[in-house]
Amino acid sequence: MEEDLTHVRRKRLTTKNGLVCLEDYPYTVSVRLHGKHWCGGAIVSKQWILTAAQCFDYVTNEEVSVRIGSVFRDFGGRILSVIDIKRHPEYKMDQYYPEHNLAMIKVNLPIAPTSRMQPVGLAVADSDLPPAFGETVVTGFGSVISGQIREGENQELRRMIAQEVPRAECRQIYGNDYSLQHDHMCLQSVVKGVALCAGDTGDPAVHFSGLNRAGTLYGIALFSGTEECAYKSKPGIYAKVAYSRQWIDKIIGESPDRTESADSGENAIPLDMD
């Protein structure tokens, strides 16, 4: 399958290990628990990050932070505090395969857009991933080999080019191991041996095309199919962003972005280039 790389702006595209430049995916962040990587996420406005609700079961705001603006998981960019976590009101923590598995987390200061940190556009309400053109890119800081979330030192951002797996086929692959909900979709790498792993929950799945080089966020990673990632054969399961678009818009609308502060730089987050 030939990649459509029209959205890539930098000369250094990717290595055999899938390493990438943050300038190509500047919405990607590391959501951290007790100062260490825990989940992925995507910047969707100047103060809000979209990720998976399951990342915050039995977790308080004070335990969570976000690293933005760095291609490295454990250094660079800026660490922001989290002042609010809003899980989807229909998310049920006591269900094993919950619907509406999305959360919005609010950082303590507005993010001034730069080449390394920008919000990503959201899929139109109730829309599905375009089936016939462009490519879908999943980015994150998760484990590469093992089921250990914080595997390795100085982990760099990686990407996976993925394609959607039909629901019927995905159900057959998982059998009784996972119950797909109405707002779930399945994505699988176009390259064998590459898949979601520990620490990839919350990773954004963004669709790019020649007409949409900035990308549109369609999915948030939920489940990798295996705890031990040495056998990466199953598609990953993602929450459909479009099916919760009204709730996301409501959250952002209830707390308007402080555009004037961010633009002036008075309270916005500055960024040191690595």
Side-chain angles (χ1 to χ4, degrees):
M1 182 177 179
E2 185 177 352
E3 291 186 34
D4 174 8
L5 298 176
T6 54
H7 65 281
V8 177
R9 298 183 291 274
R10 306 285 291 185
K11 290 183 180 180
R12 180 166 70 89
L13 302 180
T14 181
T15 69
K16 291 182 179 179
N17 294 326
L19 301 179
V20 295
C21 288
L22 188 62
E23 286 86 348
D24 295 321
Y25 312 104
Y27 47 82
T28 312
V29 304
S30 166
V31 178
R32 312 178 73 76
L33 181 65
H34 302 147
K36 297 182 179 180
H37 178 75
W38 182 240
C39 289
I43 302 171
V44 294
S45 79
K46 285 191 172 122
Q47 276 190 273
W48 290 97
I49 310 294
L50 181 62
T51 182
Q54 69 189 58
C55 296
F56 309 108
D57 292 348
Y58 311 107
V59 170
T60 64
N61 297 356
E62 293 75 19
E63 296 175 282
V64 182
S65 59
V66 179
R67 185 184 298 279
I68 63 171
S70 178
V71 75
F72 298 102
R73 181 191 65 190
D74 297 322
F75 66 91
R78 284 289 183 270
I79 295 289
L80 303 183
S81 300
V82 169
I83 59 175
D84 197 6
I85 300 174
K86 293 186 180 294
R87 291 185 290 187
H88 194 288
E90 295 182 49
Y91 169 76
K92 300 292 190 296
M93 189 172 65
D94 57 349
Q95 290 183 357
Y96 199 62
Y97 310 108
E99 300 174 295
H100 308 289
N101 195 343
L102 292 171
M104 295 277 283
I105 56 180
K106 188 177 185 181
V107 294
N108 61 322
L109 289 171
I111 302 168
T114 72
S115 63
R116 288 188 143 196
M117 46 188 189
Q118 294 182 35
V120 63
L122 299 171
V124 175
D126 300 322
S127 63
D128 292 317
L129 192 66
F133 63 93
E135 68 178 8
T136 302
V137 181
V138 180
T139 49
F141 297 93
S143 174
V144 177
I145 298 175
S146 74
Q148 300 297 316
I149 289 179
R150 298 165 188 126
E151 170 203 32
E153 295 181 0
N154 303 334
Q155 183 92 320
E156 289 188 59
L157 180 67
R158 285 173 166 81
R159 76 172 184 179
M160 174 179 70
I161 311 299
Q163 59 188 359
E164 189 167 10
V165 176
R167 289 181 67 85
E169 181 180 340
C170 193
R171 286 182 187 277
Q172 187 174 15
I173 292 172
Y174 274 99
N176 296 324
D177 292 337
Y178 197 97
S179 179
L180 291 181
Q181 303 298 336
H182 79 286
D183 63 340
H184 290 170
M185 65 177 176
C186 298
L187 298 178
Q188 189 163 32
S189 172
V190 300
V191 178
K192 290 184 179 180
V194 179
L196 298 176
C197 199
D200 282 321
T201 301
D203 283 0
V206 175
H207 185 267
F208 296 91
S209 70
L211 298 177
N212 180 23
R213 300 190 179 191
T216 300
L217 179 61
Y218 275 89
I220 292 292
L222 302 179
F223 186 71
S224 66
T226 176
E227 291 298 326
E228 194 61 42
C229 304
Y231 304 99
K232 301 177 182 178
S233 59
K234 291 184 179 180
I237 297 173
Y238 297 72
K240 290 185 175 181
V241 171
Y243 284 35
S244 297
R245 179 65 194 271
Q246 291 181 340
W247 170 72
I248 295 170
D249 289 346
K250 181 181 178 183
I251 296 298
I252 296 174
E254 286 178 349
S255 180
D257 290 330
R258 292 157 58 184
T259 306
E260 66 282 358
S261 295
D263 289 345
S264 66
E266 181 180 351
N267 294 309
I269 298 298
L271 179 67
D272 291 336
M273 300 298 285
D274 296 323

